[in-house]
Amino acid sequence: MEALFIGHAYIDITFLAESLPTGDDKTIANDYAVAFGGNAVTAAFCAAKLGLKAEILCQQADDWLSRMFLEMASRAGVPVHGRKVAESSLSFIMPKDGKRAIVRCRDDEFRHPFPTLNLEGCRGLHLDGHMADAALHYAKVCREAGMLTSLDGGSARPGTDELLNYIDVAVISERMCEQMHLNPLAMLDYLRSKHCKVGAVTLGERGLVWYEGDQEAQTMPALDVPADKVIDTSGAGDVFHGAYFYSALTRPELSWAEHFDFARSASAFAVQHLGNEASLPTLEDIEAIRASLPEAA
């Protein structure tokens, strides 16, 4: 294991349709994809496809959806450490016009404590704030051992404030800023107060604002993906996290500007594909995107 990812796993059913039926109506979707899902989980699959030896700690049920997920992970070469729940989790995702509507079915009532894992050889930890007790435990262990700790702050969850005390790299969504009643720059100040070495707020098609160390806040535009090429934005943020985390662990000599540039190219690839599995780029895909797409105005 080179990196441990802790989060909540889903099976994502993503479909393209003109509208959602109501009442007794029916409709036919134009296309669909079935894949793994979840913030840290998708980041792990992304990092693994890029070449990192990633392992996942997530909830796990004894049902056919769990067996489907484990088969996906096996094909990707990603070992899974499960924590018992009664039912697997599902996401129904409808991308449309650069946005995505999501209905989630989630079971996070754990029946046992989180497992104790052997972290020999591990160099980094990426979290999404789910499984809060395990996240805090491993953040403390990994920070003390000098490993890189990273947080996908997609939402303000119970325990996030304490967890941030053990995070090196915190990349926060606009949604979490809104939940905490902070604008992006105020969020960066908050992350500095938690002693995060790198902090960022992702702004979707508007790019991100970020800092590294004692530097002033900087902006990085997104890449200009033509609107008619944007198919599914639902996993693009998770791919962004997986890509910067891979870059930071495998190329630590680079600056965070370079890690984030690499990640925005991965994300620009992701939005042009339906479903998380098809959205995962190779190193060659990322280089092709970097060479072909300009920054958004």
Side-chain angles (χ1 to χ4, degrees):
M1 181 201 308
E2 292 180 314
L4 176 63
F5 294 74
I6 302 177
H8 197 92
Y10 293 85
I11 293 294
D12 283 0
I13 300 173
T14 307
F15 60 94
L16 300 178
E18 295 305 316
S19 62
L20 279 177
T22 58
D24 288 329
D25 291 340
K26 299 179 181 179
T27 192
I28 300 294
N30 299 320
D31 200 358
Y32 76 96
V34 179
F36 49 83
N39 304 122
V41 166
T42 303
F45 275 82
C46 174
K49 186 163 185 178
L50 293 172
L52 200 64
K53 293 179 181 178
E55 299 192 12
I56 295 171
L57 170 56
C58 63
Q59 92 292 352
Q60 187 175 333
D62 182 15
D63 57 25
W64 67 276
L65 287 172
S66 178
R67 291 187 282 277
M68 181 190 299
F69 176 78
L70 291 174
E71 172 64 21
M72 293 173 179
S74 177
R75 290 203 315 264
V78 178
V80 176
H81 306 278
R83 186 177 183 183
K84 184 71 172 179
V85 292
E87 294 181 326
S88 291
S89 296
L90 272 171
S91 290
F92 300 90
I93 304 169
M94 182 180 172
K96 190 172 178 63
D97 300 327
K99 307 295 182 183
R100 77 279 190 274
I102 303 176
V103 175
R104 287 195 168 129
C105 309
R106 181 163 66 204
D107 181 359
D108 56 7
E109 295 293 327
F110 303 113
R111 298 191 169 188
H112 302 292
F114 60 83
T116 300
L117 304 179
N118 181 359
L119 299 180
E120 183 178 355
C122 188
R123 296 186 285 122
L125 172 72
H126 180 69
L127 310 166
D128 62 15
H130 286 289
M131 206 182 296
D133 54 352
L136 182 60
H137 168 79
Y138 283 105
K140 290 179 177 179
V141 169
C142 292
R143 171 60 89 72
E144 185 175 346
M147 302 178 202
L148 180 71
T149 56
S150 168
L151 175 68
D152 172 356
S155 296
R157 307 186 195 280
T160 297
D161 184 73
E162 183 180 6
L163 182 61
L164 279 166
N165 293 320
Y166 306 96
I167 296 299
D168 297 316
V169 182
V171 179
I172 308 300
S173 70
E174 279 190 286
R175 180 186 179 197
M176 182 166 162
C177 291
E178 293 165 359
Q179 290 173 326
M180 295 182 63
H181 307 290
L182 297 173
N183 64 44
L185 291 179
M187 175 59 77
L188 296 187
D189 289 338
Y190 167 68
L191 296 178
R192 288 184 194 271
S193 76
K194 307 300 287 186
H195 305 292
C196 297
K197 299 172 186 176
V198 177
V201 176
T202 56
L203 306 172
E205 67 275 10
R206 292 176 287 122
L208 74 157
V209 293
W210 63 284
Y211 71 83
E212 178 179 4
D214 295 329
Q215 297 176 8
E216 294 293 320
Q218 307 174 57
T219 60
M220 178 178 288
L223 296 181
D224 190 14
V225 180
D228 63 345
K229 298 292 186 182
V230 176
I231 296 174
D232 176 16
T233 62
S234 60
D238 306 328
V239 168
F240 182 88
H241 287 274
Y244 79 63
F245 193 67
Y246 161 84
S247 183
L249 285 186
T250 60
R251 307 181 299 174
E253 73 280 2
L254 299 184
S255 69
W256 274 90
E258 292 169 290
H259 297 320
F260 286 144
D261 176 63
F262 180 84
R264 70 173 176 174
S265 300
S267 188
F269 174 89
V271 300
Q272 300 181 64
H273 298 81
L274 183 65
N276 283 337
E277 187 164 12
S279 296
L280 302 182
T282 63
L283 292 172
E284 292 75 18
D285 292 327
I286 292 175
E287 289 310 311
I289 289 288
R290 296 175 94 176
S292 62
L293 289 182
E295 290 185 340

